[in-house]
């Protein structure tokens, strides 16, 4: 097998795999409970393994599902795994990996179907969409992990994700976008498809400090507006030199799913080679084992200034509007605010305890002096 077909695994790939493992470990059983069919689609599947035998994303998805005892408990639900890889040699490797997995397991369980296609992602997505009426679309988790910006059209994603329980986890190669976004006619067609608009042409010129943010924000907006996802969040992966390697966008309509994926990010401990970053209220938020909740404390004080709100409102806010997860709210955020005398509660039975029904009062913001 050539070097072009199989390569060394990079640190940022391993962490992407950790996120998939953690998240799918929760997603498969949750979706399987309430649906007759669930689809995992890996649209840019790769060769199935890396140079030293590390598993690629298809094997990780299959293993996450099949190695858990709930797989047998969910036999009333059909699980379909679709892997597409357009490169002939990588596809041959992927097929071997999937076949070896099938044989090692004595065949797939009856409720599991595995489809491996040597085609472009869009072709397979169109085939699936063409063969189904809208009402037959199943909850789909699409993992789209392209090398660059080609063949990930917004319109195909919109249609593939039109079922409300579907979710998207997509790699956004900001460096190649930054380089090529306004390179002209040859790439315009790809960018127009990627963004589903020609607005990328308004990006600040190469070298302008606002260019990367513009390209990122436009994509985020399009995922919300065109695909209709309620929750869209990007996670910036930084390399050892502190520069962005890429973004991972996660899109869902479920606040539980959103909380879980952010939880997976917080769990993916940073190494010397990478770390994840997001921001809140203009302050950077680094995903690290000991979360720094100062940005969340400031944001709560600002958002709820002068109000008394139920603890559930605060939990919703943390989940839907910040990089933090629901479990960061009480001990790590409200307790220090209370100890510092910055919040109070009209109905709290015991200080530092915030059971359901607890009301939290935030002081008004100090008036800004004007002269
Ligand atoms: C980043 S690699 C995938 C790695 C894999 N997802 C993993 O995590 O192990 C991207 C793969 O997408 C394939 N690819 C590129 N364009 C494609 C397309 N239009 N349709 C399907 N596969 C494509 C490439 O050949 C390459 O193997």
């Amino acid at each position: 097998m050539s070097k072009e077909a199989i390569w060394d695994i990079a640190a940022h790939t391993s962490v992407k795999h950790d996120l998939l493992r953690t998240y799918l470990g929760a997603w498969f059983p949750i979706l399987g409970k309430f649906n007759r069919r669930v689809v995992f689609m890996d649209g840019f599947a790769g060769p199935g393994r890396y140079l030293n035998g590390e598993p690629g994303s298809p094997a990780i998805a299959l293993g996450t599902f099949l190695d858990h005892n709930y797989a047998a408990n969910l036999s009333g639900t059909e699980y379909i795994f679709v892997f597409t890889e357009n490169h002939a040699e990588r596809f041959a490797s992927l097929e071997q990996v999937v076949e070896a997995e099938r044989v090692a397991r004595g065949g797939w369980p009856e409720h599991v179907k595995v489809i491996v296609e040597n085609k472009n992602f869009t072709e397979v997505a169109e085939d699936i969409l063409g063969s189904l009426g809208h009402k037959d679309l199943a909850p789909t988790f699409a993992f789209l992990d392209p090398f660059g910006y080609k063949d990930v059209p917004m319109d195909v994603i919109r249609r593939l994700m039109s079922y409300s329980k579907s979710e998207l986890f997509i790699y956004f190669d900001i460096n190649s976008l930054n380089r090529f976004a306004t390179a002209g006619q040859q790439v315009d067609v790809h960018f127009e498809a990627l963004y589903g608009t020609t607005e990328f042409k308004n990006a600040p010129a190469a070298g302008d400090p606002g260019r990367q943010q513009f390209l990122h924000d436009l994509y985020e907006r399009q995922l919300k507006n065109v695909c209709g996802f309620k929750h869209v969040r990007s996670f910036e992966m930084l390399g050892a030199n502190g520069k962005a390697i890429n973004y991972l966008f996660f899109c869902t309509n479920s606040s539980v799913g959103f909380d879980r994926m952010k939880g997976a990010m917080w769990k993916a401990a940073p190494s010397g080679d990478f770390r994840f970053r997001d921001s809140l209220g203009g302050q950077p938020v680094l995903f690290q084992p000991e979360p720094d909740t100062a940005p969340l404390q400031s944001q709560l004080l600002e958002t709820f200034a002068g109000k008394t709100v139920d603890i559930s409102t605060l939990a919703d806010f943390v989940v839907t509007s910040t990089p933090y997860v629901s479990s960061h709210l009480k001990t790590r955020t409200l307790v220090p605010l209370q100890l510092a005398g910055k919040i109070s509660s009209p109905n709290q039975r015991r200080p530092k305890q915030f059971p359901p029904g607890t009301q939290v009062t935030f002081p008004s913001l100090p008036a800004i002096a004007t002269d």
Side-chain angles (χ1 to χ4, degrees):
M1 196 69 57
S2 73
K3 272 264 185 193
E4 223 236 340
I6 296 193
W7 56 94
D8 255 328
I9 194 161
H12 66 91
T13 304
S14 304
V15 74
K16 207 163 49 181
H17 290 168
D18 286 346
L19 295 173
L20 263 188
R21 236 183 238 112
T22 307
Y23 188 74
L24 291 178
W27 188 81
F28 284 133
I30 290 176
L31 268 287
K33 255 189 220 162
F34 303 109
N35 299 281
R36 279 188 304 117
R37 185 188 291 150
V38 169
V39 179
F40 173 82
M41 181 165 194
D42 192 339
F44 297 78
R49 67 179 174 90
Y50 288 83
L51 208 54
N52 292 316
E54 300 90 343
S57 48
I60 285 170
L62 281 171
T64 301
F65 180 69
L66 295 168
D67 290 339
H68 283 73
N69 44 14
Y70 58 63
N73 301 342
L74 297 170
S75 56
T77 299
E78 184 182 26
Y79 280 81
I80 304 179
F81 292 82
V82 184
F83 305 132
T84 60
E85 170 53 54
N86 71 353
H87 183 285
E89 219 184 330
R90 291 177 196 145
F91 174 76
S93 164
L94 174 65
E95 245 192 338
Q96 272 176 16
V97 168
V98 171
E99 180 56 13
E101 190 78 25
R102 190 186 68 80
V103 171
R105 293 179 183 276
W108 304 126
E110 230 170 79
H111 64 300
V112 173
K113 195 164 162 192
V114 181
I115 299 165
V116 191
E117 298 266 23
N118 184 201
K119 288 185 181 167
N120 283 329
F121 155 67
T122 39
E123 263 181 85
V124 177
E126 293 289 6
D127 286 351
I128 293 175
L129 289 163
S131 67
L132 296 171
H134 174 79
K135 65 181 175 9
D136 293 326
L137 271 177
T140 300
F141 186 98
F143 176 49
L144 303 182
D145 185 25
F147 273 145
Y149 49 82
K150 295 181 184 166
D151 204 30
V152 263
M154 185 64 71
D155 182 59
V156 173
I157 295 177
R158 174 184 67 79
R159 286 180 287 129
L160 194 64
M161 300 280 92
S162 62
Y163 191 85
S164 67
K165 287 183 192 160
S166 292
E167 298 187 342
L168 173 69
F169 192 36
I170 187 165
Y171 181 91
F172 190 65
D173 184 359
I174 192 65
N175 290 315
S176 58
L177 287 161
N178 215 354
R179 205 167 319 138
F180 298 113
T182 40
Q185 280 179 354
Q186 274 173 338
V187 293
D188 278 359
V189 58
H190 299 297
F191 275 81
E192 200 171 331
L194 176 83
Y195 279 104
T197 170
T198 54
E199 279 180 66
F200 64 90
K201 292 185 182 175
N202 303 331
D208 186 301
R211 181 175 169 90
Q212 184 166 317
Q213 195 67 44
F214 178 97
L215 293 168
H216 165 278
D217 292 353
L218 178 60
Y219 196 60
E220 183 172 80
R221 207 161 59 239
Q222 290 295 93
L223 286 170
K224 271 196 184 144
N225 295 348
V226 177
C227 300
F229 284 114
K230 209 159 147 192
H231 308 297
V232 174
R233 191 131 211 126
S234 73
F235 303 91
E236 186 183 14
M237 199 187 265
L238 303 174
N241 58 6
K243 291 207 170 129
I245 307 177
N246 59 58
Y247 285 95
L248 292 169
F249 275 92
F250 178 63
C251 311
T252 180
N253 291 313
S254 152
S255 46
V256 174
F258 208 39
D259 203 34
R260 292 273 188 159
M261 181 53 95
K262 288 191 289 175
M265 293 278 169
W266 283 99
K267 228 177 120 189
S271 73
D273 294 322
F274 83 91
R275 56 209 162 118
F276 281 113
R277 183 171 66 182
D278 199 334
S279 68
L280 182 61
Q283 296 187 60
V285 175
L286 283 172
F287 290 74
Q288 52 199 13
E290 273 309 305
D292 171 11
T293 60
L296 180 57
Q297 294 180 31
S298 314
Q299 191 65 45
L300 292 177
L301 289 170
E302 191 184 318
T303 305
F304 298 100
K307 294 186 182 147
T308 295
V309 287
D310 191 86
I311 185 76
S312 62
T313 304
L314 299 178
D316 279 351
F317 177 78
V318 170
V319 171
T320 59
S321 310
T322 82
Y324 294 89
V325 289
S326 48
S327 62
H328 290 151
L329 176 63
K330 294 181 182 176
T331 315
R332 291 180 187 276
T333 307
L334 295 181
V335 169
L337 282 174
Q338 186 163 41
L339 289 175
K342 292 183 178 167
I343 56 168
S344 56
S345 169
N347 67 347
Q348 193 180 34
R349 295 233 172 103
R350 285 199 222 139
K352 300 196 283 178
Q353 306 261 312
F354 297 88
T358 308
Q359 304 275 306
V360 180
T361 302
F362 292 82
S364 302
L365 289 177
I368 298 168
T370 50
D371 18 47

